[in-house]
Amino acid sequence: MPGENRAKEETVVQGISASQGIAYGQIFVYLQSEVEVPSYEVDSEKRIDEVARFEKALLLTRQQIAKIKNEVEKNLGPEEARIFDAHLLVLEDQALILETIRDFENTGRNIETCFNGVAQRYIRAFSEIDDEYLRERAGDIRDVAQRVLQNLLGQAENSLSRLAEKRIVVANELSPSATASIDRSAALAIVTDTGSKTSHAVIVARSMKIPAVVAVSNLTQRVQTGDWAIVDGYDGVVILHPTKQPLFRYGKIQLQKKSFEQRLIEGNRQPAITLDGVAVRLMANIEKVDELAQVRENLAEGVGLYRTEYLYLNSSRIPTEQEQFLAYKSVVEGLAPQPVVIRTLDLGGDKPMASLPDLFPREANPFMGFRAIRFCLEHPDLFKDQLRAILLASAHGRVQLMYPMISGADELARANALLEECRAELRARGQPFDEKMLVGAMIEIPSAAVTADILAAQCSFFSVGTNDLIQYLLAIDRGNNRIAHLYEPTHPAVIRTLKHIVDEARVRGLPVGVCGEMAGDPVFAPLLLGLGVDSLSMTPGWLPTVKYIVRAMTMADARRLAAEALTMDSPKEIYAKCDAFYRTRVWVE
Ligand code: PEP
Ligand code: MG
C-alpha cells in the first residue's frame, strides 16, 4: 500500500482555513469514487421498462434530496438548505431528461449510459463557462448525477453518516450532500485536497461548526485511515503525526478558545463601550428579511447595510414598488427604533439578474462595468420605483438611504434629483414618508475617496465599502483566488485612503461608517476605529467578537495603533501590528 513504509514523522501541511476550530484525532480517509457505469444494449421489448426505471430513479433521488434539505433546514437553517434547491432544480431540468430519453431511443443503450453521457456533457459545458456562479452549477449536476446513477444501479448511498467513531474526515473532494450527511457527533473536522473557502460543502461545514481546512494538495495520498492529526481551522494547517509539543500548544489554544467563547457570550450582553468610555455603534449587514432574527440575537444596534439587490436576484422579474415597500417595511418595523440603512440596487458586476439577461449584457470587465448606480441612472423608472418604496418604508421606522458605487459629484447629484422627484410624487399622492430621512453615499471607488470633500456637500453620511475600495485601489479582483493573497486590507494605500475619507468627513461634520468585511474582522476593527470611523457594520455572527475587542481596548490605544500604522510601509508589518493588538487583548485571562 502506498505510504505503508513511510516513517510517521510529524509533518505540517498548509491549506486554506475554511471553518474555524481545532480538532485532534484519528483520520478517516474518504475517497468519493465516481459510480462505475455498465454499458449494454437493451432488448426492444424491454425499452418501456427502461424509461420507467429512469423515472423511478429520478423520483427516488428527488425524495432523498428533499429529505436532506429538510434535515439541513432543521439543523442549520434555510440559508444553508437553499443549496439543495439548486440540486432539485437539476432534477427538474427538462433538457437533461429529454436528451437522455432521446439518446436512449436513438442508441438503444441502457439508460445509465445515456444519462451519464448527457450529464457529463452538461458538466463539461458548465465547467468551461467563464462565470463562477455557472461553474458551480457543474458541481451541482455532478452531485445529483452520481445520486441518480447510484439509484439506477441499486447501490447504497455513498454516505458519511455511519462513521463508527469520532474521526477527522479527509477527502479528495466533498459534495454538499456528502457533507450534509456527515454525522456531526462523529466528525471532528473536515480536510479536503481540493475546494475553496466559498464552496458549498464548506458553507455546510461552517454552519455545522466543524473545523475545516481545504486545498491541502494530495493529502489523501499522504495519509491513511487511523493516522493521528491536529486540524487547525484558524490558520488552515494540518499537523500529521503530531509530537507532544504541538499537542500541548494546541491543547492550550483550544482551552483558551473555549473560555474566550464563553466570555464572548457574556460580553455580548454588555454595551459596545471602550475601556476609556467611548461608545461605538456596531451594526449588522443583511440581505433578506429572514436575517432579522440573527440581527436581534447578536444585539446589533440597527442595520448598517441592507443589500436590496437580493430581492431582485431571487426573482424572475423586477419587483414592483409595492412588493419592495412591503419587504423594506418589514425590516424597518422589525427593528424600529434602531436605524436601517437601505442601500439602493447594486445589481450588475458579480450580481447580474440571471432571469433578465437583456438588462445585463455580458461585459469584459463586469466589476468595472454597468453596475449599481450606473445601471440605476440609466433606468430611472426602475430606480424611482425603488426610491419611492424606500421613502414609503421610512414612515414606519428609522430609515437611511445610501447609493452604492458613487464615483463623483455628478452621479450623486443625479441620484438626489431623482429622489427629489420621488418625494414630490409621494407628496402629490398624499402618501407619508420621513421628510428628514438621511441620505448617504458609499465610498468604495477611489475617485469618490479622493473627492470626499466635494461629495460631503451633497449627502449626510459616508459608508465605506472596503470590499470594493480595496479591489479598486489595489487593482485586485476580489473574487479571483489566484491573486487573493495580494488583497491586503492593511496596504498603506488603503489605510491612507481611509484616513483621508474620515478627515474630510470630520471637517464637514459627517459621520463615517465602514460596512465592508474589514469592519467585521476583530483584527482590523481597532485600526478602523483608531482612524476615526464612527460605526462598523458586519455579518451578524461577527458582532460578539468585534464587541469583545471594543470592550477590551481603549480608544486612545486604537488611535496610537492607527497613527503608527500610518507611518509604516509594509502591509505585512501593519497586519502583524493589528494582530498583536488583538491577540494581547483577547488572550489575557
Ligand atoms: C463593499 O464593497 O465593501 C460593500 C459593502 O458592498 P458589496 O460587498 O455588496 O459590494
Ligand atoms: Mg461594494
Side-chain angles (χ1 to χ4, degrees):
M1 271 185 74
E4 192 89 317
N5 301 320
R6 200 175 297 143
K8 307 258 167 163
E9 260 177 34
E10 181 176 294
T11 318
V12 180
V13 279
Q14 183 72 49
I16 297 174
S17 146
S19 176
Q20 299 201 332
I22 288 167
Y24 169 61
Q26 278 180 294
I27 284 173
F28 170 75
V29 180
Y30 173 75
L31 291 176
Q32 196 170 13
S33 49
E34 299 257 313
V35 175
E36 241 174 83
V37 182
S39 176
Y40 54 89
E41 192 143 345
V42 179
D43 297 343
S44 46
E45 68 274 14
K46 290 205 180 130
R47 293 207 171 165
I48 295 192
D49 298 349
E50 196 70 355
V51 175
R53 210 159 65 74
F54 183 42
E55 281 165 358
K56 214 166 120 200
L58 290 176
L59 185 67
L60 181 58
T61 310
R62 195 166 300 131
Q63 287 164 345
Q64 288 168 343
I65 297 176
K67 186 161 164 256
I68 296 178
K69 185 184 166 216
N70 279 344
E71 274 169 22
V72 172
E73 188 157 354
K74 205 166 67 212
N75 297 332
L76 309 173
E79 185 60 26
E80 284 70 27
R82 223 164 273 155
I83 294 166
F84 297 98
D85 283 334
H87 288 199
L88 288 169
L89 277 180
V90 173
L91 283 172
E92 275 156 27
D93 188 334
Q94 285 307 308
L96 188 76
I97 297 170
L98 294 177
E99 256 180 70
T100 302
I101 295 178
R102 205 188 49 221
D103 277 8
F104 170 63
E105 281 165 354
N106 290 342
T107 63
R109 306 299 301 174
N110 59 325
I111 203 83
E112 291 88 343
T113 303
C114 300
F115 173 71
N116 194 32
V118 176
Q120 294 306 330
R121 278 206 297 278
Y122 273 67
I123 292 167
R124 250 195 322 277
F126 275 104
S127 348
E128 282 162 10
I129 297 177
D130 186 21
D131 177 307
E132 198 175 333
Y133 170 77
L134 291 174
R135 263 200 315 276
E136 278 187 12
R137 298 266 301 137
D140 294 336
I141 302 173
R142 189 178 298 118
D143 198 352
V144 175
Q146 287 294 307
R147 237 172 221 291
V148 173
L149 289 169
Q150 275 167 0
N151 287 331
L152 277 169
L153 295 166
Q155 293 178 354
E157 261 187 77
N158 201 355
S159 148
L160 276 164
S161 60
R162 290 180 292 275
L163 282 179
E165 288 167 78
K166 286 182 183 273
R167 290 281 191 258
I168 293 167
V169 177
V170 174
N172 45 356
E173 182 181 6
L174 274 183
S175 67
S177 53
T179 315
S181 72
I182 290 177
D183 176 0
R184 171 67 194 95
S185 59
L188 294 170
I190 294 174
V191 185
T192 56
D193 290 350
T194 57
S196 74
K197 259 183 178 200
T198 52
S199 59
H200 284 154
V202 164
I203 293 171
V204 174
R206 222 167 8 237
S207 323
M208 290 166 125
K209 296 200 161 43
I210 301 177
V213 175
V214 297
V216 191
S217 51
N218 295 329
L219 188 65
T220 42
Q221 284 165 32
R222 290 198 248 172
V223 296
Q224 293 168 356
T225 290
D227 283 352
W228 290 86
I230 295 173
V231 177
D232 173 359
Y234 296 98
D235 290 333
V237 168
V238 180
I239 302 176
L240 302 171
H241 322 298
T243 53
K244 275 210 183 97
Q245 218 179 11
L247 275 177
F248 177 72
R249 189 157 47 88
Y250 276 102
K252 209 167 136 214
I253 292 177
Q254 208 166 12
L255 278 181
Q256 282 174 326
K257 298 269 183 202
K258 279 218 175 93
S259 100
F260 178 54
E261 271 158 28
Q262 192 49 38
R263 279 182 286 153
L264 272 188
I265 298 169
E266 286 156 16
N268 201 35
R269 293 190 208 107
Q270 311 297 324
I273 298 180
T274 61
L275 291 174
D276 49 355
V278 182
V280 178
R281 186 176 271 276
L282 300 182
M283 306 172 89
N285 294 352
I286 62 163
E287 285 153 13
K288 283 168 256 88
V289 184
D290 54 19
E291 285 162 289
L292 279 193
Q294 277 173 283
V295 176
R296 289 198 202 95
E297 215 172 280
N298 290 291
L299 302 171
E301 292 183 76
V303 163
L305 168 64
Y306 177 7
R307 292 180 162 106
T308 55
E309 54 276 7
Y310 283 85
L311 198 62
Y312 287 65
L313 290 171
N314 293 333
S315 167
S316 55
R317 54 174 180 77
I318 305 280
T320 63
E321 176 186 315
Q322 179 67 8
E323 284 166 341
Q324 295 185 62
F325 161 64
L326 291 176
Y328 306 154
K329 178 169 160 266
S330 50
V331 172
V332 171
E333 271 184 347
L335 284 179
Q338 303 280 19
V340 176
V341 183
I342 305 183
R343 177 175 80 179
T344 61
L345 280 181
D346 188 1
L347 286 173
D350 58 337
K351 290 177 276 194
M353 254 181 105
S355 52
L356 296 175
D358 292 348
L359 272 185
F360 299 95
R362 288 190 77 83
E363 297 178 286
N365 282 310
F367 269 120
M368 293 205 273
F370 190 47
R371 65 176 279 208
I373 198 72
R374 303 167 183 181
F375 168 83
C376 288
L377 291 174
E378 285 222 6
H379 294 284
D381 291 340
L382 183 152
F383 188 33
K384 283 176 67 181
D385 278 349
Q386 179 175 43
L387 295 176
R388 278 191 302 270
I390 297 174
L391 282 167
L392 288 170
S394 73
H396 296 267
R398 230 176 109 200
V399 173
Q400 301 180 9
L401 176 151
M402 70 179 177
Y403 309 114
M405 296 287 291
I406 291 290
S407 67
D410 183 43
E411 267 167 355
L412 188 51
R414 285 172 64 204
N416 275 338
L418 290 173
L419 183 63
E420 202 42 58
E421 282 178 27
C422 294
R423 288 196 183 101
E425 285 158 12
L426 293 184
R427 283 186 207 110
R429 286 193 208 161
Q431 288 181 293
F433 61 90
D434 176 7
E435 294 273 0
K436 296 202 183 74
M437 180 185 74
L438 297 182
V439 178
M442 279 194 76
I443 306 294
E444 49 184 346
I445 297 184
S447 58
V450 173
T451 54
D453 56 327
I454 306 174
L455 298 178
Q458 292 185 44
C459 62
S460 308
F461 65 92
F462 286 156
S463 183
V464 185
T466 45
N467 303 343
D468 279 316
L469 186 62
I470 297 169
Q471 140 165 288
Y472 298 125
L473 266 177
L474 306 184
I476 300 292
D477 177 348
R478 63 193 254 193
N480 184 340
N481 277 344
R482 196 171 305 158
I483 47 170
H485 61 289
L486 299 173
Y487 187 95
E488 291 177 308
T490 47
H491 194 294
V494 175
I495 298 172
R496 289 181 196 188
T497 306
L498 289 168
K499 170 89 166 69
H500 174 77
I501 299 167
V502 171
D503 286 352
E504 294 300 331
R506 178 147 306 153
V507 174
R508 289 152 186 90
L510 258 63
V512 179
V514 173
C515 62
E517 294 300 296
M518 221 179 149
D521 190 323
V523 172
F524 299 136
L527 174 68
L528 295 173
L529 295 170
L531 285 167
V533 165
D534 302 288
S535 62
L536 302 173
S537 191
M538 64 205 79
T539 307
W542 286 107
L543 279 150
T545 326
V546 173
K547 190 184 276 186
Y548 186 90
I549 185 67
V550 167
R551 291 178 51 76
M553 67 178 211
T554 63
M555 194 57 90
D557 281 346
R559 289 196 190 110
R560 270 191 284 276
L561 170 73
E564 203 175 338
L566 281 163
T567 64
M568 294 168 72
D569 310 338
S570 146
K572 303 255 172 333
E573 280 167 24
I574 300 175
Y575 181 87
K577 264 252 151 320
C578 294
D579 195 44
F581 185 98
Y582 170 67
R583 280 178 198 259
T584 48
R585 281 155 184 83
V586 165
W587 299 127
V588 177
E589 289 295 320

